[in-house]
Every structure is written in C-alpha cells, then in structure tokens.
Amino acid sequence: MRNITPYNTGKVAIGSRYEPAKRHTMSLDELRIQDSLINPPVKLLVMPYDKAIYVLGVVALVVIYLTN
C-alpha cells in the first residue's frame, strides 16, 4: 500500500491519519442471508391442472393394479 502525503495547510495536516477502507469478503452464509432479506422468494410455476393430472395418474395405477 502506498503512503499518501497529507495536505499541509501550515497549521493542520489534512489527511495525515487517513486509512483506505478495507474490503470485506462475504462468506457463503452471509450472502445467503443478504439474498433472502433483499430478494423476494421465488414462486414456483404451478399449473392449475397439475393436481388433476396427478390424481388421474394415481387412479390409473390403482385400476391397473386391481385388474391384474
């Protein structure tokens, strides 16, 4: 890191104690928490007839099982 020379007004050395900001790398947990707080949850696309197809599939399996 290079040393920044302060601006000297004669009475005050402006910037003599300046330290550049340190970068903070976020962990995976911190990223997940931030993402859950900022972004709304993603809703899965569910078709209205998905349940009907599931019920028809179960009924078809039961009919096949009972006819054998």
Side-chain angles (χ1 to χ4, degrees), residues 8-46:
N8 193 354
T9 63
K11 294 182 179 179
V12 178
I14 298 173
S16 62
R17 295 185 178 202
Y18 170 75
E19 294 179 11
K22 296 179 179 132
R23 302 285 292 168
H24 174 71
T25 55
M26 293 175 53
S27 70
L28 205 55
D29 289 335
E30 291 170 329
L31 286 173
R32 286 179 56 205
I33 291 171
Q34 182 181 21
D35 186 52
S36 67
L37 292 173
I38 293 175
N39 297 327
V42 177
K43 292 184 179 179
L44 298 176
L45 295 175
V46 178

